[in-house]
Amino acid sequence: MALVMLAEGGLAALAIEPIASRLGATKGSGYWHFANRAALVDATLQRWEGHTEEIIERLEIHADPLIRLRELFTSVTDPQGPHAVELALLACVDDPAVAPVVQRVTKRRVDYVRKLFLDLDFEPIEAAQRATMAYAIYLGHTQLARTRASAIPAEMVLVAYLDSILARLLSR
């Protein structure tokens, strides 16, 4: 529920009382789980950070790095994905609690994509550049999905859209 509240109202929405109320619980039960708001924020950020590792673990079942890259793009461009959480955290990246987590997650994501490009036989510098471009594409897509969803291709065209992105990122 905390991630939903974060997505809906930003970091300011992360408070024990409103979350407890929304869950139909008492304020006291909220404080039983979290000593204070800072603990709630920390737990929420840890949960968000864990999503990256969960996605990477799911991708690693595929031996082919091209399949992993394609699956990654498919999962992160899902219109039902948690785009609002990502944007809410980016909007408050100067917050001392948020900044180090966003930095770690960004580094982990870019490093993982760089590894995929290395596994696809790109030279290290080229792999790093393409990983950065891929992450920038993801962030841009996330922003568009939130502010101008009509700019994102409909489900029927989404596969071709993703193919075109990957073709550009993989072209030599």
Side-chain angles (χ1 to χ4, degrees), residues 28 57 170:
E57 285 176 22
L170 294 168

Side-chain angles (χ1 to χ4, degrees), residues 45-85:
L45 292 170
Q46 286 179 23
R47 180 68 188 122
W48 175 74
E49 186 171 9
H51 284 290
T52 293
E53 293 307 320
E54 290 168 11
I55 290 170
I56 290 171
E57 285 176 22
R58 282 196 308 263
L59 295 171
E60 286 299 305
I61 64 168
H62 303 289
D64 184 344
L66 185 55
I67 292 172
R68 291 194 308 262
L69 186 61
R70 188 167 210 321
E71 288 291 320
L72 176 61
F73 263 84
T74 300
S75 69
V76 301
T77 57
D78 178 358
Q80 304 306 315
H83 305 297
V85 173

Side-chain angles (χ1 to χ4, degrees), residues 18-116:
I19 291 174
S21 174
R22 192 143 169 198
L23 291 170
T26 65
K27 176 174 75 169
S29 67
Y31 282 104
W32 185 82
H33 290 286
F34 304 102
N36 51 38
R37 181 177 183 271
L40 170 64
V41 170
D42 183 55
T44 303
L45 292 170
Q46 286 179 23
R47 180 68 188 122
W48 175 74
E49 186 171 9
H51 284 290
T52 293
E53 293 307 320
E54 290 168 11
I55 290 170
I56 290 171
E57 285 176 22
R58 282 196 308 263
L59 295 171
E60 286 299 305
I61 64 168
H62 303 289
D64 184 344
L66 185 55
I67 292 172
R68 291 194 308 262
L69 186 61
R70 188 167 210 321
E71 288 291 320
L72 176 61
F73 263 84
T74 300
S75 69
V76 301
T77 57
D78 178 358
Q80 304 306 315
H83 305 297
V85 173
E86 189 87 22
L87 295 174
L89 290 172
L90 290 174
C92 59
V93 75
D94 292 333
D95 184 282
V98 175
V101 179
V102 170
Q103 289 170 2
R104 278 194 312 270
V105 168
T106 299
K107 181 179 182 333
R108 177 65 169 120
R109 290 173 177 181
V110 173
D111 286 350
Y112 181 72
V113 176
R114 182 181 51 78
K115 179 188 173 302
L116 292 176

Side-chain angles (χ1 to χ4, degrees), residues 107-162:
K107 181 179 182 333
R108 177 65 169 120
R109 290 173 177 181
V110 173
D111 286 350
Y112 181 72
V113 176
R114 182 181 51 78
K115 179 188 173 302
L116 292 176
F117 282 109
L118 287 170
D119 291 347
L120 289 164
D121 296 324
F122 284 89
E123 294 297 320
I125 291 173
E126 190 69 24
Q129 290 171 346
R130 288 170 192 256
T132 301
M133 284 188 285
Y135 198 66
I137 289 167
Y138 159 70
L139 291 176
H141 177 88
T142 300
Q143 181 67 28
L144 277 174
R146 175 76 174 204
T147 60
R148 189 166 175 256
S150 63
I152 305 298
E155 199 171 308
M156 296 182 317
V157 186
L158 190 58
V159 172
Y161 168 71
L162 292 176

